[in-house]
Amino acid sequence: MKRIAIQGFMGSFHDIAAHLYFEGEQIQLICCSTFEQVFDNLRKDPTSIGMVAIENTIAGSLLHNYELLQNSGTTIVGEHKLHISHCICCLPEDDWDTIAEVHSHPVALMQCRKFLEQHPQMKNVEAEDTAGSAKMIAEGRKRGWAAICHAEAAKMYGLKVLENHIEDNKHNFTRFLVVSNPNKADLLRSLTETNKSSIVFSLPHEEGSLSHVLAILSFYKMNMTKIQSLPIIGREWEYKFYVDVMYNDLTRYRQSIDAIIPLTKDFRVLGEYKDGRQTN
């Protein structure tokens, strides 16, 4: 049985992503309040695995999670891209005319902004988690409160779905990373099947330093799918660059890495893994 640390409660999108990624396997969820707690759990229990959101097609990158990932010393072993669909739900005895407040994670509230504008009588209340909001309403018997979460979470906590698929953009996906202790990584992936890599590095404060790195990746036919820069605390106007590349030839990928290392500082491969499938 695999022990999976997630941010959020049962029924959260992290829960759904974990079950889809490890479909058909027995897993035990370790529910954490914060992403910091997820990585703390991986440090305390090297046999556990983490499932961590890293970017959303609407809200963008979760920048803090990049820092947590790098500082944790863990390795990326996989990814999953999950379609994000929201519903609004409440206690069975409530209905549209009795709802005064709607609770959810701030990103979920933002993703349903147009829907909420159509219901100005409902006060928007930010919470730590989508499924956690449903759990709070169900266990506390909170009359007049509604939650925005996945419909599976509403079902799990015995709430009534007033309306499903209320998200503004129907092409809303979140990318989750599967991370583990480096010593466990090869048990969770096959390097011969990898076609994607996440790397991080900083650069000398010299003209053209980034373009030289990108030119080498292009020469070796690496498909750069993402580049994210973050400032380095304490080093003014210097940045870390987080780059995702995809490749068809493992040897050429290795050659490209060998070629760019001398041009960079603090270089690290965060993980080599298989491009994740996308699920609705």
Side-chain angles (χ1 to χ4, degrees):
M1 177 180 291
K2 292 182 171 65
R3 289 165 49 81
I4 316 295
I6 64 168
Q7 186 275 322
F9 293 86
M10 293 180 65
S12 67
F13 290 102
H14 278 83
D15 174 2
I16 295 168
H19 277 90
L20 287 172
Y21 184 84
F22 294 103
E23 191 172 9
E25 300 185 52
Q26 283 191 323
I27 67 173
Q28 176 187 358
L29 290 181
I30 306 167
C31 297
C32 305
S33 298
T34 65
F35 288 111
E36 284 85 353
Q37 289 181 12
V38 171
F39 286 104
D40 283 343
N41 181 84
L42 297 180
R43 278 190 288 269
K44 294 173 183 175
D45 179 10
T47 65
S48 61
I49 304 164
M51 176 72 71
V52 180
I54 198 67
E55 66 175 317
N56 176 265
T57 53
I58 298 174
S61 298
L62 282 75
L63 301 181
H64 184 51
N65 284 358
Y66 277 102
E67 288 295 299
L68 291 174
L69 174 62
Q70 184 191 4
N71 295 335
S72 70
T74 58
T75 296
I76 304 169
V77 295
E79 69 173 8
H80 188 83
K81 299 162 187 171
L82 177 69
H83 180 239
I84 305 299
S85 180
H86 297 293
C87 79
I88 182 169
C89 57
C90 60
L91 292 173
E93 53 266 37
D94 271 323
D95 214 321
W96 287 110
D97 58 352
T98 61
I99 300 300
E101 297 182 6
V102 55
H103 295 246
S104 194
H105 190 279
V107 172
L109 293 172
M110 182 272 291
Q111 292 172 350
C112 302
R113 180 176 54 83
K114 292 180 182 177
F115 169 83
L116 292 171
E117 286 176 352
Q118 298 171 8
H119 300 275
Q121 77 281 6
M122 297 189 302
K123 178 184 176 182
N124 299 342
V125 181
E126 295 184 357
E128 290 185 354
D129 186 59
T130 53
S133 299
K135 183 174 186 288
M136 174 186 63
I137 290 172
E139 293 181 351
R141 307 305 299 171
K142 299 292 187 179
R143 290 293 307 271
W145 289 16
I148 288 178
C149 60
H150 194 278
E152 284 299 314
K155 180 180 177 181
M156 181 179 294
Y157 295 110
L159 298 181
K160 177 173 67 177
V161 174
L162 293 172
E163 187 173 340
N164 201 3
H165 308 299
I166 64 171
E167 64 277 3
D168 298 341
N169 192 316
K170 306 308 176 185
H171 301 281
N172 182 8
F173 286 83
T174 293
R175 177 176 166 237
F176 296 84
L177 298 179
V178 184
V179 298
S180 77
N181 184 290
N183 295 329
K184 189 179 176 65
D186 290 342
L187 300 175
L188 298 167
R189 65 177 178 188
S190 171
L191 282 177
T192 59
E193 296 180 358
T194 64
N195 64 353
K196 190 171 185 177
S197 174
S198 295
I199 60 178
V200 61
F201 54 84
S202 59
L203 292 168
H205 200 56
E206 299 171 0
E207 183 177 346
S209 58
L210 179 59
S211 62
H212 292 157
V213 170
L214 300 183
I216 290 174
L217 292 175
S218 176
F219 173 79
Y220 282 97
K221 300 188 183 303
M222 298 298 105
N223 178 21
M224 188 174 65
T225 59
K226 184 176 179 64
I227 182 168
Q228 179 74 55
S229 63
L230 287 178
I232 301 175
I233 305 301
R235 289 158 59 179
E236 293 81 3
W237 317 121
E238 292 190 42
Y239 299 86
K240 291 178 184 175
F241 295 90
Y242 293 84
V243 177
D244 290 345
V245 296
M246 292 189 65
Y247 50 87
N248 296 317
D249 187 319
L250 183 61
T251 300
R252 286 185 68 85
Y253 156 71
R254 300 285 193 200
Q255 290 172 339
S256 74
I257 295 300
D258 290 340
I260 66 174
I261 285 177
L263 303 179
T264 65
K265 300 189 296 182
D266 308 317
F267 181 92
R268 184 185 163 204
V269 176
L270 295 172
E272 296 163 350
Y273 50 100
K274 189 174 182 179
D275 181 39
R277 67 189 179 100
Q278 188 164 288
T279 58
N280 290 318

